[in-house]
Amino acid sequence: MLLPLLALAAQPATAVADPPPSAAPDTHPYVALDTDLGTITLRIEDKRAPITAKNFLRYVDSKRMDGFVFYRSTRTWGPASRLIQAGNRGNAANNFPPIAHEPTTETGLTNCDGALSMARLNPGDATTDFFLLLSDIKGFDADAQGGDGAGFAVFGEIVGGREVAEKIYAAPVSPTAGDGPMQGQILDPMVTIRTARRVPAPANPPQGCVVKAASPAAPAQ
């Protein structure tokens, strides 16, 4: 009996595979906008655009975004520049102070199809208004050729309810409301954001589009 036991003892132990590492938890904030036409879910990029993200979440957490409206659809710009715009069209006393601008050249984000981007007139005057892009609009990036060098600050993206955003884009507009380039882009009626609340991360959120692709590797010398 001793020899068989010694033979067994001499055999290498079967390696026990380590369990696969668990995926890192998704710590991005998620926000659901419950509108007249349905719910849009957004992932907020608070790591790369902390100032703009904090401003947006401040309106959400204070419930000041409840009652804001989607009021603009850029259908007159054609299929290459599709977006809807929302913000406070009521009591300006509900606005928090303007925030510092975070250009895409600093955040590494980009104004791509699905991006959540901050509207502004001049860098540093943004308060409540934001865009949801329904096409790539790279002319909004800070490094766009012929742009103003500042662009529009990206701070998140659509991860659910894209069809609702498309409904808002296709909603009726007034032929006369709006000044200058916004004439013919004002929704009539406007689409109300009934509530804006933080929600848990979806089980399988899409990867999204806002992070610029890495530059191709340089050829070997």
Side-chain angles (χ1 to χ4, degrees):
M1 292 292 296
L2 182 59
L3 289 175
L5 290 174
L6 289 173
L8 287 172
Q11 293 179 0
T14 302
V16 178
D18 293 331
S22 58
D26 185 354
T27 59
H28 288 94
Y30 285 78
V31 171
L33 305 179
D34 178 25
T35 79
D36 292 338
L37 297 181
T39 300
I40 302 169
T41 304
L42 307 172
R43 175 168 51 218
I44 309 302
E45 182 47 81
D46 60 337
K47 311 299 188 293
R48 296 178 177 87
I51 295 172
T52 317
K54 181 179 180 181
N55 176 71
F56 186 84
L57 292 170
R58 190 180 183 188
Y59 285 101
V60 171
D61 294 339
S62 66
K63 300 184 179 179
R64 292 194 188 191
M65 195 172 290
D66 296 3
F68 284 9
V69 291
F70 282 97
Y71 64 89
R72 183 185 184 195
S73 166
T74 61
R75 292 206 304 277
T76 58
W77 286 358
S81 300
R82 304 171 67 240
L83 66 80
I84 53 177
Q85 183 171 348
N88 179 17
R89 301 286 282 186
N91 185 359
N94 287 328
N95 292 3
F96 291 116
I99 58 171
H101 181 60
E102 293 179 302
T104 54
T105 45
E106 293 181 5
T107 63
L109 307 175
T110 185
N111 283 278
C112 54
D113 187 350
L116 167 63
S117 188
M118 202 69 193
R120 51 87 178 171
L121 290 177
N122 301 295
D125 69 6
T127 54
T128 71
D129 277 31
F130 60 90
F131 303 132
L132 293 181
L133 273 59
L134 302 177
S135 69
D136 291 343
I137 309 181
K138 297 306 178 71
F140 279 11
D141 285 352
D143 56 358
Q145 187 173 3
D148 63 2
F152 295 90
V154 178
F155 64 102
E157 58 198 319
I158 301 170
V159 295
R162 169 66 181 244
E163 71 283 358
V164 176
E166 294 283 358
K167 286 181 184 177
I168 296 172
Y169 178 80
V173 295
S174 167
T176 56
D179 297 324
M182 291 183 66
Q183 186 170 18
Q185 297 185 357
I186 303 301
L187 295 172
D188 185 16
M190 297 177 185
V191 178
T192 301
I193 299 173
R194 298 171 178 174
T195 62
R197 298 289 185 272
R198 295 196 195 217
V199 293
N204 295 295
Q207 183 176 357
C209 75
V210 299
V211 180
K212 286 186 176 180
S215 300
Q221 300 295 323

